[in-house]
Amino acid sequence: MVESPVLGNHSNGDTVGNDTMRIFSTSHILVIARRATIMCTCLGVVAAISTVQAADGAFELPTAGPAESTIARVAARTIAHEHYMQYMLDDEISANLLDEYIRTLDPQRLYFRQADIAYFSSFRRVLDDFLLEGDIDFAFDVYRTLVTRVGEWHSFIQSQRDNPLDFTVHESYQPNRSGASWCQEPEDSRELWRLAFKNDVLVSRLTADSDSAAATVFQSYERKLRDLRTNTAADVLEMYLSSLARVYDPHSSYMSPTTRDNFNIAMNLSLEGIGAALTVVDGTPTVVRVLPGGPSARDGRLRWGDRIVAVAEEDGERVDLANLPLRKIVSYIRGPRGSRINLYVIDADEDLAAEPEIIGIIRDTVDLKGRQAKAAEYKNNPVADTPTTTASPAPATPSEADASDTSNAGETEPTPSADMSAFESTDQQINPEHGESAARDRIVVISLPSFYTGRSGRKGSGKIQSSARDIRDRLQQSVTPDTLGVVIDLRSNHGGSMADAVAMAGLFIREGPVVQVRNVHGQVKVHNDMDPEIHYDGPLAVLLNRYSASASEIFAAAIQDHHRGVIVGDEKTHGKGTVQHIRSLKPQLRKSSLFKNRDPGSLKLTVSKFYRVTGASTQRNGVTPDIILPSPRDIRSIGESRLRNALFWDSVDPRPTLNIVDVGRYIPALQRRSELRVSENLQYRRLVDDIASYKAQKRPRLLSLHLETRKEYERNQKTWKQTFRRHERREADAALQEAMRIVTDLAEMMAHRDAQ
């Protein structure tokens, strides 16, 4: 018999979860489950009713009503039939749903115990049947168990308030418990909670350097329990159905009406907040997009993959965001324009128990101009383009090589601005009447932070804007007879309009395929450039990094597959090769009286995949540049391939291309020249050495709770973070500098071949 101290003793636990379960009808199973909840008396919690009596008073917990049951049934069937993968609801989906839901509620395995998990697992292969019948009581029962366990945790911590914490004792805490064993006994949980609390207080003390660290942590714990107890049925439903959607792929989810409204506001760039798009990964808010022109982009510290573990208003109480529905997370982050919010941020590569960085952001709206294409011109200065040849020893620690902005003795390192002296920025007006005899010494750099299309102004009342059209205009305005080459800078461009990516690629090629899209039915559609005109046919480079995704990858892949330009950047791009569609559930439920005055919400589903002209998918693998530059992002655990349940890479049939301009023959020589320059560049050598030293470190499985030992560890981590932040600032200029040198080399090679 499987025992659950919260949900009770299951009278038929020996048969639940094995093959004999299939001989019962669904209704029989439900009767057994209901009977089990009635027997729950161990902790004074009755899971089948909504009023719960806790030590600090009674409170209401959500239950599933007819509306939630109907939404669950329709949503589950829609996901199965309309998601790209077309996976029918079956036992495997059921098992994965259970794991994903538990991971959502308790990602660090702090609250549930082994007996709880054993009981939940007895339903491992029947959740699909429940969903098809619209029965989601299991999801609400599991949530009630979580609230009970968190209540126990809170009561235990309260009992420890008067016990002083001794940080001179050599104890340790496991920071990443996502794969740890579940606690077996209540005393095991209490010991884990004691260590977790001690770690939280230590982190708070290191972050704020305050004697009130314990009080601050207590306050955040109080709010956490209060938030869990005040979640609505819609919140629990969203967490459960989103867990189901994420079994299919990480970009699919169920959105309650409030979440969908927040999503629409973010897409319209009118939300007054931090200017970043978030998702919830394993219960933690995670940055998936920093919006160009927004306050976070202007600040420059928040990056793709960062986890926001807590927030605090200026001089306000810290609010932990773990395990909250997205609706509440957004409500805590959103605020009036001009107000300050402190974000407690942990890097994608750090453990959640680490000391967070506090990033203060002044809330504001997104400036639409921040995402628009911009052109800059640089004049080639070959005298300043002499690479340095001074050797530097490999640093053992970042502090030896780059602890400050002061160069080491005996070495000469240009500052980022001085490094750009090989190409001097010019504000000189270009005369389009320049003759062909004028010296060709100018590089045009066009930066595009985001692909966009649509009308500007409030509610789309202004003129039609298009990133492809803006790029065309920048080319017409900037490219003159004395232009040596063009660099298209798509670094950190997360994508946007696919149609604009196709149109933009068409500016550089003469007709032909740009991207292929396969839909949920397996049909492949080729999107072609229909414009026979080439708006620029000279030397071209495209600059990318790991944050370049989606439409950026479509454009870069097309330029690479048509051999039209040289792709330069990090070792690969993000690798998001899928398309999502928002599907309202209203049409399917419009005849139901339950939803005459209620919005049933929407599904965000992956419905198609991108494929290159060569037939290869951009999914997971992204775009590999022709010339790869060392990058401080090489140490970050980011990219589509890092996401759980990310769709696989595959291919379709290739499409023929007509290459009017073919730079493929020059790639090997360009690679050799670039590699030589990079190897002789002091800044890049330091970066490569620091990457090697950082990767050589062994990540500790346990974090010390001894104050001085932990201080030393956190100081070392902070030094590394500061080192790579400096590398990022310098590398931004260095990568652009190298891209312009590559274009210069390409122009020279093409001119030499033309002369022959």
Side-chain angles (χ1 to χ4, degrees):
M1 183 178 294
V2 180
E3 180 180 351
S4 170
V6 176
L7 293 181
N9 299 328
H10 201 301
S11 59
N12 286 288
D14 54 336
T15 63
V16 175
N18 60 31
D19 291 339
T20 60
M21 172 60 74
R22 289 302 179 182
I23 67 174
F24 294 118
S25 67
T26 300
S27 59
H28 190 179
I29 297 171
L30 297 180
V31 169
I32 295 174
R34 301 297 182 276
R35 210 171 278 159
T37 60
I38 295 173
M39 296 176 63
C40 174
T41 56
C42 296
L43 294 175
V45 177
V46 181
I49 61 177
S50 60
T51 302
V52 178
Q53 185 69 38
D56 55 352
F59 57 92
E60 296 288 325
L61 281 178
T63 56
E68 286 77 27
S69 297
T70 303
I71 291 170
R73 175 175 54 80
V74 173
R77 292 175 183 270
T78 303
I79 292 171
H81 285 94
E82 297 188 12
H83 189 276
Y84 180 82
M85 294 308 299
Q86 295 280 281
Y87 290 150
M88 292 296 99
L89 290 174
D90 58 14
D91 289 0
E92 184 177 356
I93 293 293
S94 174
N96 291 334
L97 167 59
L98 175 64
D99 294 339
E100 189 68 29
Y101 187 49
I102 291 174
R103 192 183 293 112
T104 296
L105 297 181
D106 190 6
Q108 292 299 310
R109 303 192 171 192
L110 280 171
Y111 307 113
F112 290 136
R113 290 201 281 272
Q114 182 58 48
D116 301 329
I117 300 303
Y119 183 79
F120 301 156
S121 296
S122 67
F123 295 89
R124 173 170 290 275
R125 301 197 179 279
V126 298
L127 299 183
D128 54 323
D129 300 319
F130 285 4
L131 277 168
L132 291 173
E133 294 295 325
D135 188 285
I136 50 173
D137 284 350
F138 174 81
F140 284 77
D141 289 345
V142 172
Y143 183 77
R144 292 189 194 95
T145 306
L146 173 72
V147 175
T148 299
R149 293 296 182 221
V150 173
E152 292 175 356
W153 158 81
H154 181 264
S155 297
F156 171 76
I157 298 301
Q158 288 280 48
S159 72
Q160 303 296 304
R161 292 194 69 155
D162 297 330
N163 297 339
L165 295 173
D166 186 355
F167 292 108
T168 65
V169 178
H170 286 280
E171 292 185 305
S172 58
Y173 176 70
Q174 184 177 348
N176 182 3
R177 290 186 43 79
S178 59
S181 299
W182 297 97
C183 289
Q184 293 283 345
E185 303 296 336
E187 53 266 29
D188 298 331
S189 293
R190 288 191 287 270
E191 176 62 10
L192 173 61
W193 296 339
R194 182 186 72 82
L195 294 174
F197 171 63
K198 189 173 183 179
N199 180 76
D200 287 346
V201 173
L202 179 55
V203 167
S204 179
R205 184 169 170 178
L206 291 172
T207 302
D209 193 22
S210 170
D211 294 333
S212 62
T216 300
V217 172
F218 277 127
Q219 285 180 341
S220 68
Y221 284 5
E222 291 277 359
R223 185 180 286 273
K224 178 183 181 67
L225 180 60
R226 189 162 62 248
D227 279 331
L228 283 174
R229 286 177 173 176
T230 56
N231 278 340
T232 66
D235 293 325
V236 177
L237 179 68
E238 183 174 63
M239 288 188 282
Y240 190 58
L241 292 181
S242 288
S243 296
L244 173 64
R246 285 195 299 271
V247 168
Y248 285 74
D249 89 298
H251 302 293
S252 295
S253 64
Y254 166 77
M255 297 189 292
S256 67
T258 303
T259 299
R260 188 199 54 222
D261 290 344
N262 288 330
F263 177 84
N264 291 337
I265 290 172
M267 290 301 99
N268 292 330
L269 307 179
S270 59
L271 174 65
E272 292 183 351
I274 63 173
L278 305 177
T279 189
V280 177
V281 179
D282 295 344
T284 304
T286 303
V287 177
V288 292
R289 191 157 58 109
V290 177
L291 303 176
S296 291
R298 294 194 293 270
D299 177 83
R301 287 176 290 174
L302 195 66
R303 301 173 297 170
W304 196 336
D306 284 345
R307 280 83 54 83
I308 303 177
V309 295
V311 297
E313 299 291 338
E314 189 172 18
D315 301 324
E317 175 186 334
R318 168 175 164 159
V319 179
D320 287 334
L321 301 181
N323 307 112
L324 295 183
L326 196 57
R327 171 185 66 83
K328 285 190 174 181
I329 293 170
V330 171
S331 70
Y332 284 130
I333 292 177
R334 181 189 296 178
R337 184 177 185 180
S339 61
R340 179 186 176 91
I341 184 171
N342 291 321
L343 311 177
Y344 291 74
V345 177
I346 293 180
D347 190 272
D349 302 290
E350 294 180 314
D351 293 310
L352 288 173
E355 178 184 353
E357 177 184 7
I358 300 178
I359 298 177
I361 299 290
I362 304 299
R363 294 183 177 101
D364 201 353
T365 53
V366 174
D367 182 1
L368 294 178
K369 293 181 180 178
R371 66 174 184 164
Q372 292 177 346
K374 298 176 181 64
E377 297 172 350
Y378 295 87
K379 184 176 180 180
N380 191 4
N381 183 1
V383 175
D385 199 21
T386 305
T388 177
T389 57
T390 307
S392 66
T397 66
S399 58
E400 290 182 24
D402 205 10
S404 71
D405 288 329
T406 304
S407 300
N408 290 345
E411 298 179 347
T412 301
E413 180 187 13
T415 63
S417 58
D419 193 41
M420 292 301 294
S421 62
F423 293 92
E424 299 173 343
S425 178
T426 175
D427 294 325
Q428 177 183 349
Q429 292 294 319
I430 302 298
N431 183 357
E433 301 301 325
H434 279 173
E436 292 297 328
S437 60
R440 300 178 69 235
D441 62 354
R442 295 178 186 273
I443 303 290
V444 174
V445 177
I446 301 179
S447 302
L448 184 66
S450 176
F451 286 84
Y452 51 87
T453 187
R455 291 187 179 273
S456 62
R458 290 182 60 84
K459 298 183 179 180
S461 60
K463 67 177 183 179
I464 296 176
Q465 291 186 325
S466 161
S467 51
R469 189 172 63 186
D470 286 350
I471 293 291
R472 183 198 64 194
D473 293 344
R474 302 298 180 271
L475 289 170
Q476 292 174 348
Q477 295 162 4
S478 303
V479 174
T480 63
D482 61 351
T483 297
L484 190 65
V486 171
V487 176
I488 303 295
D489 187 353
L490 297 180
R491 289 175 296 178
S492 301
N493 183 321
H494 303 326
S497 167
M498 183 190 75
D500 258 44
V502 173
M504 187 168 140
L507 301 175
F508 303 94
I509 65 174
R510 190 190 303 280
E511 296 183 295
V514 173
V515 65
Q516 304 183 74
V517 180
R518 184 161 65 184
N519 66 19
V520 68
H521 304 296
Q523 300 164 331
V524 177
K525 180 179 179 180
V526 181
H527 294 259
N528 293 286
D529 166 39
M530 306 304 293
D531 181 3
E533 181 181 358
I534 298 180
H535 293 264
Y536 174 73
D537 62 359
L540 174 68
V542 180
L543 187 56
L544 306 168
N545 63 17
R546 282 182 180 267
Y547 304 144
S548 304
S550 194
S552 294
E553 294 171 307
I554 291 173
F555 172 80
I559 296 298
Q560 190 175 55
D561 294 344
H562 282 266
H563 297 178
R564 174 60 190 86
V566 184
I567 312 300
V568 182
D570 296 1
E571 61 182 358
K572 70 173 185 176
T573 55
H574 185 79
K576 184 179 183 295
T578 58
V579 183
Q580 284 71 46
H581 172 70
I582 306 298
R583 173 78 151 85
S584 173
L585 296 179
K586 280 184 179 179
Q588 294 165 273
L589 295 170
R590 64 182 182 275
K591 295 182 180 180
S592 172
S593 60
L594 292 171
F595 300 98
K596 283 186 176 180
N597 299 306
R598 174 172 177 168
D599 188 337
S602 303
L603 291 169
K604 179 160 73 81
L605 295 179
T606 295
V607 295
S608 55
K609 286 177 72 175
F610 295 132
Y611 295 85
R612 302 172 61 144
V613 175
T614 61
S617 173
T618 58
Q619 175 65 11
R620 283 183 176 260
N621 293 351
V623 176
T624 301
D626 301 305
I627 298 177
I628 298 173
L629 302 178
S631 166
R633 289 164 294 279
D634 290 346
I635 66 168
R636 303 200 74 213
S637 299
I638 53 176
E640 186 80 4
S641 60
R642 302 272 185 169
L643 301 179
R644 188 171 55 254
N645 299 331
L647 296 192
F648 51 85
W649 178 94
D650 62 347
S651 61
V652 297
D653 293 336
R655 302 291 171 172
T657 60
L658 178 63
N659 303 326
I660 303 299
V661 180
D662 189 350
V663 304
R665 68 191 72 182
Y666 307 117
I667 297 297
L670 292 171
Q671 289 171 335
R672 289 191 296 270
R673 289 193 185 187
S674 179
E675 288 170 2
L676 178 60
R677 279 192 298 267
V678 169
S679 68
E680 293 178 339
N681 183 291
L682 177 60
Q683 181 177 322
Y684 271 127
R685 287 208 309 277
R686 283 185 170 175
L687 172 58
V688 170
D689 291 339
D690 277 341
I691 290 172
S693 297
Y694 180 84
K695 289 183 175 180
Q697 292 185 117
K698 287 188 176 180
R699 195 170 193 171
R701 193 180 69 86
L702 300 174
L703 288 179
S704 174
L705 298 179
H706 182 271
L707 179 60
E708 295 305 318
T709 303
R710 184 66 168 271
K711 275 184 177 180
E712 182 181 354
Y713 170 79
E714 296 294 352
R715 273 196 300 267
N716 184 56
Q717 293 301 106
K718 190 172 294 185
T719 301
W720 276 117
K721 182 176 290 187
Q722 292 170 348
T723 295
F724 281 103
R725 284 280 173 85
R726 279 190 289 271
H727 278 310
E728 284 193 17
R729 291 195 298 269
R730 296 170 178 176
E731 179 265 349
D733 283 344
L736 180 56
Q737 170 82 352
E738 182 57 25
M740 289 192 289
R741 285 169 171 159
I742 290 167
V743 164
T744 302
D745 289 343
L746 179 59
E748 175 191 323
M749 294 175 188
M750 293 174 69
H752 178 71
R753 183 174 180 85
D754 290 343
Q756 290 181 331

